[in-house]
Amino acid sequence: MAYDVARIRSEFPSLESGWAQFDGPGGTQTPRSVGDAVASVLTGPLSNRGTIGVSEERAEAAVHGFRLAMADLVNGHPRGIVQGRSATQLAYDFSRHLSKQWGAGDEVVVTRLDHDSNVRPWVQAAERVGATVRWADFDPATGELPVEAVTAVLTDRTRIVAVTAASNLIGTKPDIPAIAAAAHGVGALVYVDGVHSTAHELPDIEALGADFFTCSPYKFLGPHFGVLAAAPELLETIAPDKLLPSTNVVPERFEFGTLPYELLAGATAAVDALAGLDGSPDAASSRRARLAASYTALHGHEEGLRTRIESGLAALPGVTVWSRASRRTPTLLMTFAGHEASEVTKRLAEHRVLAPSGNFYALEASRHLGLGDAGGLRVGLAPYTDDDDVERLLAGLASALG
């Protein structure tokens, strides 16, 4: 079935504002079904989880539904799905959990392609225990992170490799399966930041070889929090600091305090919204199968729009596009000769086009590109981006640079 972007856009009340939203990598707009799911759980009978009474049962159902939905999304096990305040918080939590077993002489590998949330927690954890940090650099000319850049810094003392599935700054998608295989070859664990990639690529943690995989529902139409996926058997080997009366059951042992049941329901609705992007009426298919069909349709839609944007940018004076990797998401970082990126962002806003500027917490990547802390202007596509949005973007850029 053809990708019906008009139908999809009709499900997003926020798009009635008239703005063209190219800020998807920072957080997408939310469909009505997600808001309805949040409101239904929050305003209906609700209490702490349990089996006595409708309020407890509704809380239990929200948690169970969330774990099933996220397991379908990442091709994991429901018992391996951990909810957290954010992907950043989860990285800090697990860096503390795992570094209890590290010491002097141990090593961790991070990359300069990553968002700082998958860099600084590991660097700081290593510093606390006297472990060594080794850096894998990407090629600033191509935007590529070669597998060899990671394997070159692996040793038999490597304890973890932290790497992004896709750069939130320039879109580069490294070869995660090959990196994971090399890391596992020296006995290291692999922590994959999938926050940006999940909005554009259907995750498969088994195929990726990820021991840990994180994502954030608000990057793919859902509410604001983070999710970590891992094999339940691996989680069983990790002992977090926790309150004495709190459960030791996996995955709950990693979830501190009462869960946000209404947000979990919203995340479930977001996964269902993703599964319905292609408009397939085949309700008999599994949710995972519907997700696969929808992501295939999404790829075609986003690639067509990205090609149009890149062609339009090539015709504009003084534009440098830093997103150059052979495999990348439809996310473009650009700078402009004679114009500050932040000023171009303001000029676009006059046309009701939102395309923010900055380093977007990919600080190491921005500096490695030679862009310092200022970064550039980032254009990111989302499922609701349409041809009119693209035309307004290009017209706004032509006006700002003319």
Side-chain angles (χ1 to χ4, degrees), residues 24-37:
T28 54
Q29 302 303 299
T30 307
R32 186 175 291 104
S33 60
V34 172
D36 289 347

Side-chain angles (χ1 to χ4, degrees), residues 262-274:
E262 67 279 6
L263 299 186
L264 302 187
T268 300
V271 174
D272 287 334
L274 287 175

Side-chain angles (χ1 to χ4, degrees), residues 101-108 126-127 129-134 153-160:
Q101 307 302 317
W102 304 345
D106 289 331
E107 299 174 357
V108 301
E127 290 173 345
V129 299
T132 299
V133 177
R134 296 194 179 276
V153 293
L154 294 177
T155 74
D156 60 3
R157 298 305 303 269
T158 305
R159 295 295 171 255
I160 196 158

Side-chain angles (χ1 to χ4, degrees), residues 14 23-31 34-35 38 66 70 82-90 195 215-227 259-268 270 384:
S14 63
D23 59 333
T28 54
Q29 302 303 299
T30 307
V34 172
V38 172
F66 159 72
M70 290 304 307
V82 179
Q83 188 274 344
R85 168 65 184 83
S86 64
T88 300
Q89 178 248 305
L90 286 164
V195 171
C215 59
S216 298
Y218 75 100
K219 306 286 187 171
F220 52 86
L221 315 182
H224 290 77
F225 65 89
V227 178
L259 289 169
Y261 306 122
E262 67 279 6
L263 299 186
L264 302 187
T268 300
Y384 43 75

Side-chain angles (χ1 to χ4, degrees), residues 27 72 94 146 159 167 190 237 365 380 400:
D72 284 344
F94 276 81
R159 295 295 171 255
S167 165
V190 179
T237 68

